[in-house]
Amino acid sequence: MERLRRFSQYIFALIGNSYWLFPWKAPIYQGPVKRICFPGLNCYSCPAASMACPLGSIQNFLASFRTNLQAGILHPGTYVIGSMGLVGSVVGRMPCGWICPFGLIQEWLNRVPLPRIGLWRPLRWLRYVFLVVFVVLMPLFVVDALGYGSTWFCKLVCPAGTLEAGLPLVWLEKGLRAAVGWLFAWKLLVLLLIIFWSMVTSRPFCRVICPLGLFFGLFNRASWLRLRFLADRCVRCKACARVCPTGVLFFDGTDDINSTMCIRCLRCVSICPAGSVKAEFGPVMRRDYYGKKIGVGNPQ
Amino acid sequence: MRRRLPLLLTALATGLIVWGTVHGEVQEVWQKAVTICLSCVGIG
């Protein structure tokens, strides 16, 4: 299963970044496929990017919401929300584990042999701040004199943009190199911090910052793909806790197995020696899915 | 009803995609995605 997941990550990283003519033709891809939102964090200004970044796209819609409305155009970004919602409603946060190139990069970095540092669990709540404040409220309300907002998450936080677009474009384009200033230095600092953090902690960006991961994660409990923990079979070996890249603790009832943190890598399904973790798929939930706190000591 | 939530969410998401497509949002996504985003790069 893990090999299949790794293969999927590489294939989708290639599909999302399949424009390799940028050194000779336009600096970024401008073809029709860029109408499609890529279900992962992959900056559309990356020279090789072939699809649109959903986070950048939704911020653009919100940033120009006022001016569009003044011109009589209602564009709240339903196409982007629907595209991501469609993916989320079927597989929940699975794209984070199987598709997202920035998730793959963090997994590479985490292989560096350094001492491991755990994540302070309350930091997970910061994801809501990044989603609500940086992706929704700031683009809508922090506007210039003409009423245009900005893509604040991309501008101040997104390390994928710096890594995939900022560094290559500044290297390739002389005009951009001349315009580099404090903002680029800030983004570079954020990127370096995330890189170092990823070396000592598993997927810190996904667990503390990523608004797209949170959006997908909100569907985890009600998506077609759901995980099921059979507590009466659990032997408390804690193998699931050891292999979970996002630190979901469901065997003792601390977290729900379908919590917003779960990236559906399915490692727990593969590793459990007692077969107490099952993945199920279907548009209609089982009758006993709701209404029970599941965990050892409170078997379903 | 609650058990059918996954199906309802999929239907809602499909509806949003259709609404956005009909109202020209796809073109706006494309227009933004084919120009270099200076915010993403870290310049503007």
Side-chain angles (χ1 to χ4, degrees):
Chain A
M1 184 72 87
E2 188 62 12
R3 215 176 274 178
L4 183 67
R5 187 176 75 88
R6 190 72 70 198
F7 180 70
S8 162
Q9 283 178 307
Y10 287 122
I11 289 293
F12 277 101
L14 281 174
I15 291 172
N17 297 286
S18 52
Y19 178 71
W20 289 98
L21 296 173
F22 60 84
W24 302 280
K25 287 192 167 184
I28 62 171
Y29 172 66
Q30 296 176 323
V33 185
K34 265 212 167 156
R35 289 178 172 88
I36 301 168
C37 291
F38 185 77
L41 201 67
N42 194 56
C43 186
Y44 50 37
S45 288
C46 169
S50 54
M51 295 185 202
C53 167
L55 268 189
S57 299
I58 192 66
Q59 284 176 88
N60 273 317
F61 275 114
L62 297 176
S64 55
F65 185 71
R66 280 176 195 223
T67 47
N68 272 343
L69 212 55
Q70 281 162 1
I73 303 165
L74 180 63
H75 277 180
T78 54
Y79 169 70
V80 182
I81 297 169
S83 300
M84 293 305 101
L86 185 63
V87 175
S89 69
V90 177
V91 289
R93 211 181 156 176
M94 198 175 198
C96 301
W98 292 70
I99 292 175
C100 182
F102 201 68
L104 176 64
I105 290 168
Q106 287 176 87
E107 288 182 8
W108 280 341
L109 291 168
N110 200 242
R111 287 183 182 178
V112 175
L114 283 176
R116 295 278 168 257
I117 298 174
L119 188 84
W120 188 47
R121 290 171 69 85
L123 282 180
R124 308 193 298 184
W125 293 99
L126 279 177
R127 293 175 302 154
Y128 291 88
V129 176
F130 284 109
L131 176 62
V132 175
V133 177
F134 284 86
V135 176
V136 180
L137 296 180
M138 284 177 74
L140 261 180
F141 296 111
V142 184
V143 295
D144 62 15
L146 296 171
Y148 285 104
S150 187
T151 52
W152 289 102
F153 183 80
C154 303
K155 195 170 188 167
L156 296 177
V157 184
C158 187
T162 318
L163 182 68
E164 296 169 3
L167 291 173
L169 284 176
V170 164
W171 180 54
L172 287 169
E173 302 285 313
K174 271 187 184 170
L176 291 177
R177 216 175 302 155
V180 161
W182 69 269
L183 186 61
F184 188 78
W186 163 255
K187 287 203 69 180
L188 208 55
L189 178 69
V190 172
L191 173 65
L192 290 173
L193 286 173
I194 298 286
I195 287 176
F196 179 72
W197 200 4
S198 302
M199 288 179 188
V200 293
T201 302
S202 173
R203 285 188 174 243
F205 180 79
C206 310
R207 294 159 81 181
V208 178
I209 298 170
C210 188
L212 184 60
L214 173 62
F215 182 80
F216 284 138
L218 293 172
F219 289 91
N220 269 358
R221 286 182 200 193
S223 60
W224 292 40
L225 175 70
R226 295 173 300 279
L227 296 183
R228 192 173 184 83
F229 176 51
L230 306 168
D232 51 344
R233 289 192 194 172
C234 179
V235 292
R236 307 204 77 166
C237 63
K238 299 183 185 175
C240 52
R242 275 198 298 277
V243 295
C244 182
T246 53
V248 180
L249 296 173
F250 58 84
F251 76 95
D252 59 359
T254 306
D255 295 315
D256 188 303
I257 192 168
N258 290 301
S259 95
T260 58
M261 292 294 286
C262 174
I263 59 167
R264 265 76 197 277
C265 65
L266 306 182
R267 280 183 188 169
C268 53
V269 177
S270 310
I271 199 105
C272 182
S276 67
V277 187
K278 303 279 180 205
E280 54 187 36
F281 189 83
V284 181
M285 297 172 183
R286 286 167 54 145
R287 231 169 250 290
D288 56 352
Y289 183 72
Y290 275 110
K292 285 182 181 178
K293 169 93 174 156
I294 297 170
V296 171
N298 188 8
Q300 57 179 340
Chain B
M1 186 73 166
R2 210 176 181 187
R3 290 174 56 220
R4 289 181 174 77
L5 197 57
L7 201 58
L8 291 174
L9 288 172
T10 304
L12 176 66
T14 309
L16 288 175
I17 294 173
V18 171
W19 195 92
T21 306
V22 169
H23 288 82
E25 288 193 352
V26 181
Q27 191 62 16
E28 198 168 324
V29 166
W30 181 79
Q31 278 171 355
K32 299 286 184 188
V34 297
T35 47
I36 292 176
C37 163
L38 293 179
S39 298
C40 309
V41 174
I43 289 174

